Amino acid sequence: EEEEEDEEMDGEEEGDDEGEQVGAPSAGDVFALEMELNRENKKMMRERRHRSKLPRALRGLMGEANIRYARGEKEDAITMCMEIIRQAPLAFEPFSTLAMIYEDQGDLEKALQFGLIAAHLNPSNRDDWVKLADMSLEQDNIRQAIFCYSKAIKYDTSNVRFLWERSSLYEQVGEHKLAMDGYRRILSLLPPTDGEHFMQLARDMAKSYYETSDLPSAIGVMQEALDRHPGLVSVEAVNMAAELYIANRQHRRALKVLQQFCAITLERDSAKQEAGEGEGALKDEGAAEGGEGKEEGEAEAKGEVQAVQIAEEVPVDIRVKLMVCLIHLQMFKPLDGLLTGLMEQSPEELGDLYLDVAEAFLEEGEYGSALPLLSALVCSERYNLPVVWLRHAECLKALGHMEVAVESYSKVVAMAPLHLEARLSLSTLQQQLGRPQRALDALEPMHDPDTLAQDAGAAQQELKLLLHRSTLLKSQGRPDDYTDTMLTMLAMLLKVAMNRAQVCLISSSCSGERHLHLIKVSRDKISDIDDQEAAYLDVIGKTSVLSREDWWQLLLDTVMVLCQRMRFAEAELLVDSSLEYYSFYDDRAKRKELEYCGLSAAVLDRNYRKAYSYIRLMLMDSVERAQLWNVFNQVTLHSQDVRHHRFCLRLLLKNPEHHALCVLNGHNAFVSGSFKHALGTAGGRGDGDRALCRLVIVPVISLSPSLS
């Protein structure tokens, strides 16, 4: 130690001599020295932090435990390690030894637990974390394996293998974003010499992004691969990049990629090119900065595309991508030769490419060009599919060939009975061709009741179909069938409410025809719903096809139709069920309107007892409305009941000056033979009112014998 101190003193003296000779250090030298000292301090702190925490007094015992383990005396080694842990719980060595012992004994669970403790106490050993990750995977604990790989990556951030393994595990647990982030880090770490690996990984990432509908990320990865390694770009990479650009509606960029990597040349009109050179500057000034608009302006300035030069070795799928780009860019002149070459190929082998080109023509409204391609597909055996027939029918419909379009739509419905759009289009065409019954046949129910009860998607499809069917029936003037359809839809909405109101929808035969009717049933004939709140939420999900206002209008129309068909009792039951539906009852305005509908239906049905229940509530809410009192009088007149006497007396106590109440209470007392009460109620309020004067005179005459 003394020699070291002497050397340091000599070094300091030499440094002083040099400092005197050289002079004061510059600011840059001071900054560099500080940075170096900071690095050294961090290194020393890191080494000090990860140094063993096993005391010197226990190192001998630790060594003895390792020797016992090596000799096969595992129980003694375990005992010694436990004693070391008791005295020095923060030392990682005994935990590591115990992990090895239990692993040898085949107890992998204990080995993993002790190994994790040792790794946490000594976290900088990445090899331990990788070993623990493998042990976790053996026990199917993927989350723990991911955690172990994350720890290993923390201390070796540039290890591609660790990043790859962790990203693969993220994919297994469904963490797509984290997996893609890991793969992106791998791309940034790959050296330029490893271009093949870069391209393969970029293609895999783009495919994964595409499957999750993340087109911008997929395009970004592929574009980076094309820019960094243009010499390694394969036909597969070009095909994928063009496919991604086309899916993202960036057809000009897709065309640019095809031109760059597939030796494709566009021949433009030279005359228009010369004319466009003078206008190019003006167009560029108005074009959007750096986007598709600028590229389109430049392309237009160069002239119209007349032909395309393609090498013979370019595969057919690349040629089809080129055709799709040209179609969407409205460059139709060069397509003749390309289409001829495609049509020479068998649709049995290249049917998917046929369909790509046909769909591009359909999107641009070129139905005449799409029809030959689709006709070839529907005549093939392999591509005689519902989706192809649907495109064929749409194309024929757009061209005005209605009869042939009906046949194509019928083919779609026969091959895919659950295809809603095909059914709706077929029904519309049949109606336009003057075939109302066939139009209705196309809208027959698609699902059975069990499927509708379990599948929300099927219920939504069925509702759309029933809505179109109801519109069609109404236009054809078939009110009974129209009512059946409306009741079917409302039964799906009011399923829980009808259960509470004890109302059922049944099918019964009348005049030789079967129709749906609402009936009231006893409680024991209705199956109870255990969780009505969950059932209500389930109904809300299935009926979300229509908004609440649309359902409300549908309900009012149905009540009106039932009344027009003289089915007043069913209208009452429908109103009762609707008042049990939370969304309608909680809305005060809708609740009041339902009560008025119920009152009207009850009066028309001569159900005055039910009508009294409605009018009673209305009068309590609006006592000043004379119209309600007139209805109240009609109801009580026909009900032959005296329940309203007490109601009028209680209401008079709250409104003692109400004229109509005074008259009604006086009449009620007079009819009941209570002449004194009639006189007391009407007396003093007959100022100029002849009816009240009579009401006063008659009790006086009746009471005169008893008074004398």
Side-chain angles (χ1 to χ4, degrees):
E1 292 177 356
E2 292 178 356
E3 291 177 359
E4 291 178 356
E5 292 178 358
D6 293 339
E7 290 177 0
E8 290 178 359
M9 293 178 64
D10 294 340
E12 291 176 359
E13 290 176 359
E14 292 176 2
D16 294 341
D17 294 340
E18 291 176 1
E20 291 175 359
Q21 294 175 3
V22 176
S26 64
D29 295 337
V30 174
F31 180 73
L33 180 60
E34 289 180 354
M35 293 294 291
E36 184 66 27
L37 289 174
N38 284 335
R39 282 194 293 269
E40 291 295 332
N41 288 333
K42 289 180 179 179
K43 184 177 180 182
M44 291 173 63
M45 292 294 292
R46 189 160 53 247
E47 292 175 353
R48 186 178 297 115
R49 184 168 60 249
H50 297 154
R51 188 180 300 170
S52 174
K53 296 182 180 180
L54 187 64
R56 290 179 181 273
L58 295 176
R59 290 179 184 176
L61 184 59
M62 188 70 247
E64 181 66 21
N66 289 329
I67 292 172
R68 295 292 180 90
Y69 165 58
R71 290 176 180 173
E73 301 173 6
K74 297 178 181 178
E75 294 299 328
D76 294 338
I78 292 174
T79 303
M80 292 179 180
C81 288
M82 289 299 183
E83 179 61 25
I84 296 171
I85 291 172
R86 187 184 68 81
Q87 298 186 44
L90 297 181
F92 69 88
E93 290 88 349
F95 292 103
S96 181
T97 302
L98 286 171
M100 290 187 291
I101 293 172
Y102 284 116
E103 186 177 2
D104 288 347
Q105 292 180 348
D107 193 346
L108 296 181
E109 186 175 355
K110 280 191 175 181
L112 179 59
Q113 297 304 320
F114 280 110
L116 286 170
I117 296 173
H120 279 287
L121 294 173
N122 185 31
S124 60
N125 193 335
R126 60 185 179 86
D127 294 331
D128 288 346
W129 287 114
V130 174
K131 181 180 178 182
L132 291 169
D134 294 337
M135 294 176 67
S136 299
L137 290 177
E138 290 178 3
Q139 299 183 19
D140 294 329
N141 195 339
I142 299 178
R143 291 286 181 183
Q144 187 165 276
I146 291 173
F147 173 79
C148 293
Y149 274 119
S150 299
K151 285 291 187 180
I153 292 169
K154 180 179 179 182
Y155 295 98
D156 191 359
T157 56
S158 59
N159 194 307
V160 173
R161 187 175 74 85
F162 296 167
L163 288 167
W164 183 273
E165 293 294 339
R166 188 180 66 171
S167 297
S168 300
L169 294 176
Y170 273 133
E171 283 189 307
Q172 291 184 30
V173 297
E175 297 286 353
H176 180 264
K177 184 179 184 303
L178 294 175
M180 293 298 104
D181 291 342
Y183 288 137
R184 280 189 174 278
R185 286 182 64 182
I186 293 174
L187 288 179
S188 64
L189 292 172
L190 288 176
T193 57
D194 200 1
E196 292 291 342
H197 191 191
F198 188 99
M199 295 298 295
Q200 181 62 44
L201 180 57
R203 288 198 298 270
D204 293 341
M205 291 178 63
K207 183 178 179 181
S208 183
Y209 277 128
Y210 180 77
E211 290 173 352
T212 57
S213 302
D214 190 357
L215 283 177
S217 298
I219 291 173
V221 170
M222 284 306 302
Q223 189 60 51
E224 183 181 358
L226 298 180
D227 294 340
R228 287 186 61 174
H229 300 283
L232 299 175
V233 176
S234 62
V235 174
E236 183 183 357
V238 175
N239 193 20
M240 181 176 290
E243 180 71 27
L244 292 173
Y245 279 125
I246 291 172
N248 204 37
R249 314 295 297 176
Q250 295 177 280
H251 303 101
R252 195 169 295 279
R253 294 200 177 191
L255 181 60
K256 185 177 179 182
V257 170
L258 296 175
Q259 289 180 267
Q260 181 180 356
F261 295 102
C262 296
I264 295 175
T265 305
L266 302 180
E267 296 181 358
R268 300 181 179 273
D269 187 357
S270 58
K272 290 188 177 181
Q273 181 176 354
E274 293 176 0
E277 288 177 356
E279 302 174 358
L282 297 176
K283 289 184 178 181
D284 289 341
E285 291 178 3
E289 296 182 0
E292 290 275 334
K294 185 176 180 180
E295 293 180 1
E296 291 176 5
E298 292 175 355
E300 290 176 3
K302 292 179 182 178
E304 186 179 357
V305 177
Q306 299 293 325
V308 177
Q309 296 294 333
I310 307 176
E312 291 293 333
E313 62 272 11
V314 175
V316 65
D317 51 351
I318 297 294
R319 293 172 181 267
V320 168
K321 295 290 188 302
L322 174 62
M323 294 171 64
V324 171
C325 292
L326 294 175
I327 291 169
H328 285 293
L329 294 173
Q330 304 290 321
M331 301 177 183
F332 299 113
K333 286 188 177 181
L335 289 174
D336 295 337
L338 295 172
L339 276 173
T340 302
L342 178 62
M343 295 290 289
E344 291 175 355
Q345 305 290 330
S346 171
E348 299 289 348
E349 299 177 359
L350 304 177
D352 55 340
L353 302 181
Y354 270 67
L355 187 59
D356 290 341
V357 177
E359 287 182 337
F361 276 125
L362 291 177
E363 290 179 13
E364 296 300 325
E366 298 292 328
Y367 302 105
S369 300
L371 186 58
L373 295 167
L374 294 171
S375 299
L377 287 176
V378 297
C379 293
S380 65
E381 294 182 3
R382 186 178 176 185
Y383 289 93
N384 183 21
L385 302 174
V387 64
V388 179
W389 278 105
L390 181 63
R391 296 289 181 268
H392 188 249
E394 292 172 351
C395 187
L396 290 170
K397 180 182 176 182
L399 292 172
H401 306 320
M402 299 301 181
E403 291 287 352
V404 189
V406 165
E407 295 178 5
S408 296
Y409 276 121
S410 300
K411 192 74 173 178
V412 178
V413 173
M415 299 173 71
L418 302 182
H419 198 294
L420 177 63
E421 297 301 327
R423 283 175 171 268
L424 298 181
S425 299
L426 176 60
S427 176
T428 302
L429 285 180
Q430 295 283 26
Q431 183 72 9
Q432 291 176 0
L433 293 173
R435 303 165 185 167
Q437 187 56 46
R438 291 187 182 182
L440 288 174
D441 293 341
L443 298 180
E444 287 296 322
M446 297 188 297
H447 304 279
D448 56 86
D450 293 337
T451 304
L452 295 177
Q454 298 174 4
D455 189 350
Q460 292 178 353
Q461 271 196 333
E462 195 74 15
L463 275 175
K464 291 180 181 178
L465 185 140
L466 288 172
L467 186 63
H468 283 79
R469 182 178 175 84
S470 66
T471 304
L472 190 60
L473 287 168
K474 187 176 182 180
S475 65
Q476 293 181 6
R478 302 174 63 170
D480 291 329
D481 294 329
Y482 170 70
T483 306
D484 291 347
T485 306
M486 301 286 275
L487 288 176
T488 303
M489 287 191 286
L490 287 173
M492 297 175 67
L493 177 72
L494 305 175
K495 177 182 177 181
V496 181
M498 290 173 67
N499 183 277
R500 286 200 297 267
Q502 298 176 271
V503 176
C504 282
L505 183 65
I506 64 167
S507 176
S508 61
S509 179
C510 181
S511 301
E513 296 182 357
R514 297 193 68 84
H515 292 288
L516 298 178
H517 297 276
L518 291 171
I519 62 170
K520 186 83 170 180
V521 295
S522 59
R523 174 57 63 184
D524 57 348
K525 292 185 179 180
I526 295 181
S527 57
D528 293 332
I529 299 176
D530 297 331
D531 190 350
Q532 293 200 355
E533 188 67 28
Y536 175 76
L537 294 176
D538 179 62
V539 168
I540 292 295
K542 292 179 180 178
T543 57
S544 58
V545 175
L546 298 177
S547 65
R548 189 170 68 169
E549 293 303 320
D550 291 336
W551 279 114
W552 173 248
Q553 191 59 47
L554 193 69
L555 173 63
L556 295 181
D557 292 344
T558 307
V559 172
M560 184 65 68
V561 171
L562 287 173
C563 291
Q564 290 173 355
R565 304 300 297 171
M566 310 297 286
R567 296 163 63 176
F568 305 119
E570 294 181 58
E572 291 179 58
L573 295 177
L574 182 58
V575 171
D576 292 343
S577 301
S578 303
L579 287 172
E580 294 288 344
Y581 186 65
Y582 297 143
S583 297
F584 294 156
Y585 185 81
D586 293 341
D587 190 324
R588 179 180 172 81
K590 289 182 173 57
R591 184 172 72 248
K592 291 298 180 185
E593 190 163 356
L594 280 175
E595 290 173 355
Y596 281 113
C597 291
L599 173 63
S600 301
V603 171
L604 292 172
D605 191 37
R606 302 183 183 278
N607 187 353
Y608 298 108
R609 192 173 186 84
K610 173 68 76 64
Y612 174 76
S613 300
Y614 283 118
I615 194 63
R616 179 174 174 274
L617 293 174
M618 295 176 185
L619 284 172
M620 291 172 65
D621 188 56
S622 303
V623 72
E624 298 296 335
R625 295 187 62 180
Q627 187 179 9
L628 294 180
W629 285 110
N630 292 334
V631 176
F632 179 80
N633 288 334
Q634 290 295 321
V635 170
T636 55
L637 177 64
H638 291 88
S639 64
Q640 301 296 322
D641 198 350
V642 295
R643 290 187 302 165
H644 63 284
H645 291 185
R646 294 181 183 178
F647 169 70
C648 292
L649 284 173
R650 287 194 298 268
L651 201 58
L652 183 62
L653 294 176
K654 297 179 181 179
N655 304 275
E657 301 300 326
H658 196 277
H659 183 76
L661 272 173
C662 294
V663 176
L664 284 174
N665 277 294
H667 279 295
N668 292 337
F670 176 69
V671 171
S672 302
S674 301
F675 302 117
K676 293 182 179 180
H677 292 291
L679 183 59
T681 303
R685 292 183 174 86
D687 302 333
D689 193 325
R690 295 183 178 180
L692 285 180
C693 290
R694 294 193 196 98
L695 189 59
V696 172
I697 293 171
V698 172
V700 169
I701 296 173
S702 301
L703 290 172
S704 57
S706 61
L707 291 176
S708 62

